[in-house]
Amino acid sequence: MQESKRPRPSSGGGVGWLVALLFAATWALAWPVHAAPGGLPTNVAHTDTSPEWENLRQRLFASRRIDTDSGKVQLIVPLRAAYGASVPVKIVSKLPQTAELYVRKMYVLVDKNPSPVAAVLDLTPELGQADFETRLRVDEYSHVRVVSELSDGSLHMDSRYVKTSGGCSAPPNRDALHLIGRTVFKLPEPVKMNAVTTADVTVLHPNDTGFELNNQTVMFIPPHFVRSIKVSYDQRKLFDAELDFSVSENPTFRFNFVPHAQGELSAEVEDSKDGRFSGRLSVQ
């Protein structure tokens, strides 16, 4: 995953503070919103392409065919999101996870984000059903896409156009930095043995993008975000998620698993500063 780099203002007493302030003001005016000629686009179709998507497609999938009409995956995202730093995203797979055919990988993409590859999920049949919910940062009007790769090698995509902005520059909540890395599981519904069961995993983390200004120092907050979450049940892999800062602060994933007996949900987490964390939950 590529991280977008931007020059940072340097500090140097009162002069440094003034330079930083001027830099921030200039940046706010100069950083493009990438609007279409004549204003922001209003009639973009959910299925449209974009130059950013064409570049991503070539980089990630080369010349492989991507089916956009199979209906094997559905992406649910609001057309207008109230807060660009926390856009709810739901991915619904239209087939169960079986040994014969299952979703083995998912790519979650935001075309116009500074880092457009928000997440790459490596999945197993242990999920039972490859449905996911999370929240993303969306920096400007953009398509959000999910590409689902099945175990037979076929690729299937759904996309939605989202109207929101500012997701990568909105300052995160910095009131509980001492809790960074705390990893928590939650079961929103009773456990169903030998059946698909829903669970949540949350990592408390600011997921700093490097594009946020500290309101006190008027300096850019260095990037610091969750890089990976590896989730298993009873020592059997459910999914591995490779992430970037396009996932919202306090990254949360709602997922499924099929418990065949009492066991333990576990998560191993790593962030971009080599911080390593873990979480556990006993399932009975």
Side-chain angles (χ1 to χ4, degrees), residues 74-135:
Q74 180 185 9
L75 182 64
I76 301 172
V77 188
L79 173 61
R80 291 187 181 275
Y83 186 42
S86 187
V87 178
V89 173
K90 183 175 183 179
I91 301 168
V92 179
S93 294
K94 299 296 185 176
L95 72 161
Q97 296 284 92
T98 66
E100 293 73 30
L101 183 66
Y102 62 95
V103 181
R104 69 182 178 193
K105 190 166 286 190
M106 280 182 175
Y107 300 80
V108 183
L109 313 169
V110 185
D111 285 12
K112 293 183 179 294
N113 269 12
S115 183
V117 183
V120 179
L121 307 175
D122 191 73
L123 316 178
T124 71
E126 299 291 327
L127 292 168
Q129 185 73 30
D131 296 349
F132 285 87
E133 295 181 48
T134 189
R135 290 181 177 268

Side-chain angles (χ1 to χ4, degrees), residues 223-243:
H224 182 202
F225 51 90
V226 173
R227 266 294 190 204
S228 70
I229 305 175
K230 298 182 178 181
V231 178
S232 62
Y233 180 69
D234 205 20
Q235 300 184 340
R236 295 171 67 90
K237 172 182 169 180
L238 297 177
F239 68 93
D240 293 346
E242 296 298 320
L243 311 176

